[in-house]
Amino acid sequence: IGFGSVSGGGSSSSSSSSSGGGSSSSSSSGGSSGDENSGRDCAIPAMPSYSQLPDIAGLPDPFRSMDGTDIAARDDWTCRRAEISAQAQHFELGEKPAPETASVSASGNGSGITVNVSSGGGSISFNASISLPTTGQPPYPAMIGVGESNLDNDALRNRGVAVIDFPNSEIAEQVDGGSRGQGKFYQLYGSNHSAGAMSAWAWGVSRLIDALEQTPATEIDPERLGVTGCSRNGKGALIAGALDERIDLTIPQESGSGGAAAWRVSDAQQDAGQNVQTLSQIVTENVWFRDSFSQFSNTATRLPFDHHEVMGLVAPRALLVIENTDMEWLGNESTYTASMVAREIWHALGIPDHMGVSQVGGHSHCQFPSSQQPELNDFVDRFLIGNGAANTNVTRTDGNFSVDYDRWVNWDTPALQ
Ligand code: MCU
């Protein structure tokens, strides 16, 4: 990562303590609230210990609260979502520190931004490069790439969307299983912090957004942001979008296991003889999750949630899941199944066309196929740029499978009032 004269002419610099609020005006496009975490004041029950967790064979009910009651109103989703977020961080991801724990200052211009974060007496800084669009008027909407965006970035820029590279591996390393506790996040919060790499990246993306909010010289509109990334960085893009409600549009690309795949369905694919990345394998490969997640290696059915609900954390904001049918290892059937089941959450909220899934094979890993460009354009137009007319009703796979709802879903989707 590098860019020219970030502190040169035209750059501005400012500093303020982030207070969880971000900006207070509402977004012109998606369902973003201008608030990183609207559920921060929800009362979350104590988490059960591992041994108290019941076995759940199917995909758990997104609408049943931890106290056993079913939610009935759209407004109830805020705190049900907060429960799922807390469960996912507690059992799988590790804690994403609250915004109040960090103070952010920044300087930058239209080619990049330097983000300085201090916390508890320590400080770090990182740079994110910016490529402004070739059309449109500032301030521009932007797509943040975890690592980088593997979409067609010229097409994005020619549509009026800036592309920002977030240096995730600098924030938390992901070389292999030995990377735990390495990276700038851990310099600030300590190498024993519970956050796995994805929670640490999500925290870093949130601090980048704080920085964009205070740096108008970047010409980026902090109220119109998307996040994407491919493969391991697609897992990270999902978690970043899941855990910061200032992000209007989340596009995990070929994220596979640990992203759009459900642990339970990936296990079933493996049981059917396929070569699929499962929970028991992934915890040995890298440090994307908290260390204690490995206790679920052979007991994914004990998780009180699965990734249909992790995707659901993006709701009511917009999510477009892009997958590759050819990638058995990534859990092709699992990602499509989990995505279609996740879409029930947007159904319940009355906005199914704010969540799309598109799965196309015939190309190599992370090579974005042109056949998916039209639906990507529709999501970008509607939820990032903010023209309401696009058709975002997208559910397609060219795979040779169908979703086994009887096996995976034994709950009803409510029509939330
Ligand atoms: C899809 O993400 C990962 C996958 O989980 C790993 O098993 C594999 O090693 O690498 C993929 C990836 O990030 O490829 C770039």
Side-chain angles (χ1 to χ4, degrees):
I1 288 286
F3 47 83
S5 51
V6 109
S7 54
S11 81
S12 74
S13 179
S14 60
S15 173
S16 75
S17 188
S18 72
S19 58
S23 100
S24 57
S25 57
S26 66
S27 163
S28 57
S29 48
S32 143
S33 61
D35 185 343
E36 179 176 335
N37 177 16
S38 64
R40 82 178 72 72
D41 295 327
C42 297
I44 308 292
M47 293 293 158
S49 66
Y50 173 81
S51 60
Q52 293 170 320
L53 291 167
D55 210 51
I56 306 171
L59 295 174
D61 183 349
F63 308 106
R64 178 151 297 176
S65 297
M66 289 175 70
D67 70 4
T69 60
D70 291 332
I71 64 169
R74 274 197 199 97
D75 285 351
D76 295 338
W77 180 247
T78 301
C79 286
R80 175 60 190 134
R81 176 181 171 276
E83 283 188 354
I84 297 168
S85 175
Q87 289 175 319
Q89 292 179 62
H90 181 79
F91 291 113
E92 178 177 321
L93 299 168
E95 312 295 328
K96 177 189 176 190
E100 295 76 15
T101 66
S103 154
V104 174
S105 69
S107 62
N109 58 29
S111 57
I113 186 166
T114 298
V115 184
N116 310 298
V117 192
S118 46
S119 179
S123 64
I124 57 137
S125 85
F126 64 91
N127 297 327
S129 65
I130 298 174
S131 302
L132 291 179
T134 59
T135 183
Q137 296 295 322
Y140 302 103
M143 185 65 77
I144 298 169
V146 174
E148 61 182 356
S149 161
N150 282 81
L151 304 174
D152 182 338
N153 294 324
D154 287 338
L156 278 173
R157 292 177 56 242
N158 292 337
R159 219 168 175 81
V161 177
V163 180
I164 302 177
D165 291 349
F166 167 68
N168 62 321
S169 300
E170 242 176 66
I171 302 301
E173 285 184 14
Q174 56 168 336
V175 177
D176 56 27
S179 299
R180 187 163 300 283
Q182 319 259 327
K184 290 175 177 176
F185 173 90
Y186 302 99
Q187 287 170 31
L188 268 191
Y189 288 100
S191 56
N192 290 324
H193 193 280
S194 68
M198 293 202 287
S199 280
W201 302 339
W203 169 89
V205 169
S206 292
R207 307 294 65 88
L208 169 60
I209 296 173
D210 295 344
L212 292 167
E213 286 175 340
Q214 36 175 286
T215 316
T218 57
E219 300 187 65
I220 301 299
D221 183 353
E223 309 246 315
R224 292 190 292 167
L225 296 175
V227 66
T228 190
C230 194
S231 206
R232 60 194 60 203
N233 296 338
K235 310 181 207 300
L238 173 62
I239 301 307
L243 300 182
D244 192 325
E245 293 168 68
R246 293 172 297 180
I247 296 170
D248 302 281
L249 174 59
T250 300
I251 307 182
Q253 182 184 1
E254 297 191 47
S255 62
S257 177
W263 301 117
R264 287 165 173 84
V265 186
S266 295
D267 278 350
Q269 271 195 262
Q270 189 186 56
D271 291 345
Q274 299 182 26
N275 181 30
V276 173
Q277 184 166 38
T278 59
L279 198 166
S280 70
Q281 190 281 337
I282 204 170
V283 296
T284 67
E285 182 183 326
N286 217 301
V287 295
W288 297 311
F289 312 94
R290 70 183 303 159
D291 201 21
S292 61
F293 187 46
S294 60
Q295 70 191 323
F296 293 95
S297 273
N298 298 305
T299 49
T301 49
R302 282 199 169 196
L303 281 170
F305 63 93
D306 210 321
H307 273 236
H308 61 305
E309 289 164 283
V310 172
M311 287 187 273
L313 294 174
V314 177
R317 294 165 295 128
L319 173 67
L320 175 61
V321 175
I322 294 172
E323 284 291 333
N324 182 347
T325 334
D326 296 348
M327 295 283 151
E328 185 174 297
W329 175 247
L330 305 192
N332 46 9
E333 192 170 338
S334 179
T335 55
Y336 193 72
T337 299
S339 297
M340 289 301 286
V341 175
R343 199 162 184 269
E344 294 301 310
I345 296 168
W346 279 263
H347 255 296
L349 293 165
I351 47 171
D353 63 349
H354 291 218
M355 190 281 180
V357 51
S358 175
Q359 187 175 49
V360 173
H363 59 91
S364 45
H365 187 45
C366 294
Q367 298 303 306
F368 183 68
S370 56
S371 70
Q372 284 172 315
Q373 190 71 46
E375 56 222 21
L376 173 64
N377 288 346
D378 284 341
F379 268 80
V380 165
D381 287 354
R382 183 168 180 192
F383 298 112
L384 200 48
I385 297 174
N387 339 330
N391 169 19
T392 53
N393 206 355
V394 177
T395 56
R396 70 155 166 151
T397 179
D398 59 6
N400 206 2
F401 43 75
S402 53
V403 177
D404 189 348
Y405 288 99
D406 285 348
R407 173 161 187 188
W408 296 115
V409 181
N410 46 37
W411 35 268
D412 294 320
T413 301
L416 299 173
Q417 298 306 302

